[in-house]
Amino acid sequence: MAYVATRGGARAIEQAERLFRAEMGEIDPARVNEIRTAMPYLIDRVMGEASLYDEDIAALALAQTGGELYEAVLLLRAWRTTQPRLQVAQPVQQNALFTHRRISAAFKDIPGGQLLGPTLDYSHRILASDVLTGTPFVPVPVDAAAQPAPATQPSVAAWQAANDLVDLPEPDLTRPDDIPDITREPVLFPSKRAHTLQSLARADTGGTLALGYAAMRGYGKAHPTVNELRLAEAEVMVKHPKGTEFSAGRVKVSQAEVVSKSGEKLSLGFAATLGWNEVKCISAATLDLNSKGAAKGSATEEEFFLYHTEGVESSGFCIHFKLPHYVTFQSSLDAMRDANAKRQAQPQDQEPAE
């Protein structure tokens, strides 16, 4: 559907796009690089929701759309479909992740220790307004004498399972090439576990937070405790046609496990995504934790939250209301006018027909 109801509509559409492009200005490699360097967490969010890991392409999408996140994600997903699939990487093992940050709210001491890593969790929220008057904000350098943490860290859930505190799911022996792909087959309910985790991995951050927050406030059955939150880099291990395995590089990943007491043991919720996005992972893991036995139509029912956190589809449905609905709206008005005319034509002492 398009704005073609009046003569000259095509030219108006073209000029409207030109106006938007003019406001964005020229886009060059320097501008894209500045966006990629200055806003790494925004880049991570866009890559995660697009399920495409490419920082330069994500920065270009943000530059091209003026920072409109839904449009940027849509651009990345569309571009992704044009690219060939050369390989399927090997599964990533949690204890092999190159870990930058790993914390647990459930235990003070965990195997490997708490690793704060890069975070603003404990800082004062003070705007550096002096920058606007010409004084640069220069961050205090990290203490060079600090002892670096080990690159890899063990799994908290595995330690709990060894102490009979939680039941871990059975190992998934599906070959990487046979894992169901949400971009190639539709989600059917009850959803396959692979589809659920893939949907949560690319879910809209704001929508996931809204429903996850609803569950946290009491609209879910289980209140979460962060068992483990991890920001890391994962080796992308692929197999050469001759049979040897090699690393194609690293990608940033986030993962969260949340737990709640359920009977004699803890129940576990899990989520992971590309890039570093703690809020989404904790919220998504909370929804996963609450999804078992959730009431139909509730915020924590799997069908409800998977559909309503799909950012591209939901934003597209919302935006389509801006497009012409002349025919259907005029039809409604005609029906209203007809009903009014019939009511006025009836004698005043006659009851309207049922």
Side-chain angles (χ1 to χ4, degrees), residues 225-250:
T225 298
V226 174
N227 200 47
E228 178 178 320
L229 173 69
R230 190 183 296 229
L231 304 182
E233 295 179 51
E235 293 278 1
V236 181
M237 300 299 297
V238 294
K239 186 172 289 188
H240 192 275
K242 292 186 177 180
T244 57
E245 285 190 0
F246 67 96
S247 172
R250 288 178 181 167

Short mmCIF file of all heavy atoms in Angstrom, two decimals, residues 225-250:
data_model
loop_
_atom_site.label_atom_id
_atom_site.label_comp_id
_atom_site.label_asym_id
_atom_site.label_seq_id
_atom_site.Cartn_x
_atom_site.Cartn_y
_atom_site.Cartn_z
N THR A 225 16.81 -14.68 40.63
CA THR A 225 18.08 -14.28 41.23
C THR A 225 19.14 -14.56 40.18
O THR A 225 19.16 -15.64 39.57
CB THR A 225 18.38 -15.08 42.51
OG1 THR A 225 17.36 -14.82 43.48
CG2 THR A 225 19.73 -14.71 43.08
N VAL A 226 20.02 -13.59 39.94
CA VAL A 226 21.05 -13.78 38.91
C VAL A 226 22.07 -14.80 39.40
O VAL A 226 22.86 -14.52 40.31
CB VAL A 226 21.73 -12.45 38.55
CG1 VAL A 226 22.90 -12.69 37.59
CG2 VAL A 226 20.73 -11.49 37.90
N ASN A 227 22.01 -15.96 38.82
CA ASN A 227 22.95 -17.03 39.14
C ASN A 227 24.32 -16.71 38.57
O ASN A 227 25.34 -16.85 39.25
CB ASN A 227 22.43 -18.34 38.57
CG ASN A 227 23.04 -19.55 39.23
OD1 ASN A 227 23.11 -19.61 40.45
ND2 ASN A 227 23.47 -20.51 38.43
N GLU A 228 24.31 -16.29 37.30
CA GLU A 228 25.57 -15.88 36.65
C GLU A 228 25.24 -14.97 35.49
O GLU A 228 24.34 -15.22 34.69
CB GLU A 228 26.35 -17.10 36.15
CG GLU A 228 27.63 -16.69 35.41
CD GLU A 228 28.45 -17.88 34.94
OE1 GLU A 228 28.56 -18.87 35.69
OE2 GLU A 228 28.98 -17.81 33.82
N LEU A 229 25.99 -13.88 35.40
CA LEU A 229 25.92 -12.96 34.27
C LEU A 229 27.33 -12.86 33.71
O LEU A 229 28.28 -12.63 34.46
CB LEU A 229 25.42 -11.59 34.72
CG LEU A 229 25.46 -10.47 33.68
CD1 LEU A 229 24.43 -10.73 32.59
CD2 LEU A 229 25.21 -9.12 34.32
N ARG A 230 27.43 -13.02 32.39
CA ARG A 230 28.76 -13.07 31.80
C ARG A 230 28.82 -12.27 30.50
O ARG A 230 27.95 -12.39 29.65
CB ARG A 230 29.12 -14.54 31.53
CG ARG A 230 30.58 -14.76 31.12
CD ARG A 230 30.84 -16.23 30.80
NE ARG A 230 30.67 -17.13 31.93
CZ ARG A 230 31.56 -18.05 32.29
NH1 ARG A 230 32.69 -18.18 31.62
NH2 ARG A 230 31.31 -18.85 33.30
N LEU A 231 29.84 -11.41 30.39
CA LEU A 231 30.18 -10.74 29.14
C LEU A 231 31.50 -11.33 28.68
O LEU A 231 32.48 -11.36 29.46
CB LEU A 231 30.33 -9.23 29.32
CG LEU A 231 29.13 -8.48 29.91
CD1 LEU A 231 29.44 -6.99 29.98
CD2 LEU A 231 27.88 -8.71 29.08
N ALA A 232 31.55 -11.79 27.44
CA ALA A 232 32.73 -12.53 27.02
C ALA A 232 32.93 -12.41 25.51
O ALA A 232 32.15 -11.75 24.81
CB ALA A 232 32.58 -14.00 27.42
N GLU A 233 33.98 -13.03 25.05
CA GLU A 233 34.22 -13.20 23.62
C GLU A 233 34.28 -14.70 23.33
O GLU A 233 34.88 -15.46 24.10
CB GLU A 233 35.53 -12.53 23.20
CG GLU A 233 35.52 -11.02 23.34
CD GLU A 233 36.85 -10.41 22.92
OE1 GLU A 233 37.32 -10.72 21.81
OE2 GLU A 233 37.41 -9.62 23.71
N ALA A 234 33.63 -15.09 22.25
CA ALA A 234 33.58 -16.50 21.89
C ALA A 234 34.39 -16.74 20.62
O ALA A 234 34.27 -15.98 19.65
CB ALA A 234 32.14 -16.94 21.67
N GLU A 235 35.18 -17.76 20.63
CA GLU A 235 35.90 -18.16 19.42
C GLU A 235 34.92 -18.76 18.42
O GLU A 235 34.10 -19.61 18.78
CB GLU A 235 36.97 -19.20 19.75
CG GLU A 235 38.12 -18.69 20.60
CD GLU A 235 39.19 -17.96 19.79
OE1 GLU A 235 39.02 -17.84 18.56
OE2 GLU A 235 40.17 -17.50 20.40
N VAL A 236 34.99 -18.30 17.20
CA VAL A 236 34.15 -18.87 16.13
C VAL A 236 34.97 -19.97 15.47
O VAL A 236 35.82 -19.73 14.61
CB VAL A 236 33.75 -17.79 15.10
CG1 VAL A 236 32.86 -18.41 14.02
CG2 VAL A 236 33.03 -16.64 15.79
N MET A 237 34.71 -21.19 15.92
CA MET A 237 35.47 -22.34 15.42
C MET A 237 34.73 -22.99 14.25
O MET A 237 33.56 -23.36 14.38
CB MET A 237 35.67 -23.37 16.54
CG MET A 237 36.43 -22.84 17.75
SD MET A 237 38.11 -22.27 17.35
CE MET A 237 38.86 -23.82 16.80
N VAL A 238 35.40 -23.08 13.12
CA VAL A 238 34.81 -23.69 11.92
C VAL A 238 35.73 -24.78 11.41
O VAL A 238 36.92 -24.84 11.75
CB VAL A 238 34.56 -22.63 10.82
CG1 VAL A 238 33.49 -21.64 11.26
CG2 VAL A 238 35.84 -21.90 10.46
N LYS A 239 35.14 -25.63 10.60
CA LYS A 239 35.88 -26.78 10.08
C LYS A 239 36.26 -26.54 8.62
O LYS A 239 35.42 -26.18 7.79
CB LYS A 239 35.05 -28.05 10.20
CG LYS A 239 35.80 -29.32 9.81
CD LYS A 239 35.00 -30.58 10.12
CE LYS A 239 34.93 -30.80 11.63
NZ LYS A 239 34.32 -32.12 11.96
N HIS A 240 37.53 -26.71 8.34
CA HIS A 240 38.04 -26.58 6.97
C HIS A 240 37.55 -27.78 6.15
O HIS A 240 37.34 -28.87 6.69
CB HIS A 240 39.57 -26.55 6.99
CG HIS A 240 40.19 -26.15 5.69
ND1 HIS A 240 40.44 -27.04 4.67
CD2 HIS A 240 40.60 -24.93 5.24
CE1 HIS A 240 40.99 -26.41 3.66
NE2 HIS A 240 41.09 -25.12 3.97
N PRO A 241 37.30 -27.57 4.84
CA PRO A 241 36.86 -28.72 4.01
C PRO A 241 37.78 -29.93 4.11
O PRO A 241 37.33 -31.07 3.92
CB PRO A 241 36.87 -28.13 2.59
CG PRO A 241 36.62 -26.67 2.78
CD PRO A 241 37.29 -26.31 4.07
N LYS A 242 39.05 -29.72 4.45
CA LYS A 242 39.97 -30.84 4.59
C LYS A 242 39.88 -31.50 5.96
O LYS A 242 40.55 -32.51 6.20
CB LYS A 242 41.40 -30.37 4.33
CG LYS A 242 41.64 -29.96 2.87
CD LYS A 242 43.11 -29.66 2.64
CE LYS A 242 43.36 -29.31 1.17
NZ LYS A 242 44.78 -29.01 0.90
N GLY A 243 39.04 -30.93 6.85
CA GLY A 243 38.81 -31.60 8.12
C GLY A 243 39.40 -30.92 9.33
O GLY A 243 39.01 -31.23 10.46
N THR A 244 40.33 -30.01 9.16
CA THR A 244 40.95 -29.35 10.31
C THR A 244 40.05 -28.22 10.81
O THR A 244 39.35 -27.57 10.04
CB THR A 244 42.33 -28.77 9.94
OG1 THR A 244 42.17 -27.87 8.83
CG2 THR A 244 43.28 -29.89 9.53
N GLU A 245 40.08 -27.99 12.14
CA GLU A 245 39.31 -26.90 12.74
C GLU A 245 40.22 -25.70 12.97
O GLU A 245 41.40 -25.86 13.31
CB GLU A 245 38.69 -27.33 14.06
CG GLU A 245 37.49 -28.25 13.89
CD GLU A 245 36.76 -28.46 15.21
OE1 GLU A 245 37.20 -27.89 16.23
OE2 GLU A 245 35.76 -29.20 15.22
N PHE A 246 39.66 -24.51 12.79
CA PHE A 246 40.43 -23.29 13.02
C PHE A 246 39.50 -22.19 13.50
O PHE A 246 38.28 -22.26 13.33
CB PHE A 246 41.17 -22.85 11.75
CG PHE A 246 40.26 -22.40 10.65
CD1 PHE A 246 39.97 -21.05 10.45
CD2 PHE A 246 39.70 -23.33 9.78
CE1 PHE A 246 39.14 -20.64 9.43
CE2 PHE A 246 38.86 -22.92 8.75
CZ PHE A 246 38.57 -21.58 8.58
N SER A 247 40.08 -21.16 14.12
CA SER A 247 39.30 -20.02 14.61
C SER A 247 39.19 -18.97 13.52
O SER A 247 40.20 -18.52 12.96
CB SER A 247 39.96 -19.42 15.86
OG SER A 247 39.32 -18.21 16.22
N ALA A 248 37.95 -18.55 13.25
CA ALA A 248 37.71 -17.49 12.27
C ALA A 248 37.66 -16.12 12.96
O ALA A 248 37.33 -15.12 12.32
CB ALA A 248 36.39 -17.74 11.53
N GLY A 249 37.97 -16.06 14.25
CA GLY A 249 37.94 -14.81 15.00
C GLY A 249 37.06 -14.94 16.22
O GLY A 249 36.57 -16.02 16.56
N ARG A 250 36.86 -13.82 16.90
CA ARG A 250 36.04 -13.79 18.10
C ARG A 250 34.87 -12.83 17.92
O ARG A 250 34.96 -11.86 17.19
CB ARG A 250 36.85 -13.32 19.31
CG ARG A 250 37.87 -14.33 19.85
CD ARG A 250 38.62 -13.69 21.00
NE ARG A 250 39.62 -14.59 21.56
CZ ARG A 250 40.58 -14.18 22.40
NH1 ARG A 250 40.64 -12.91 22.75
NH2 ARG A 250 41.46 -15.04 22.87
#
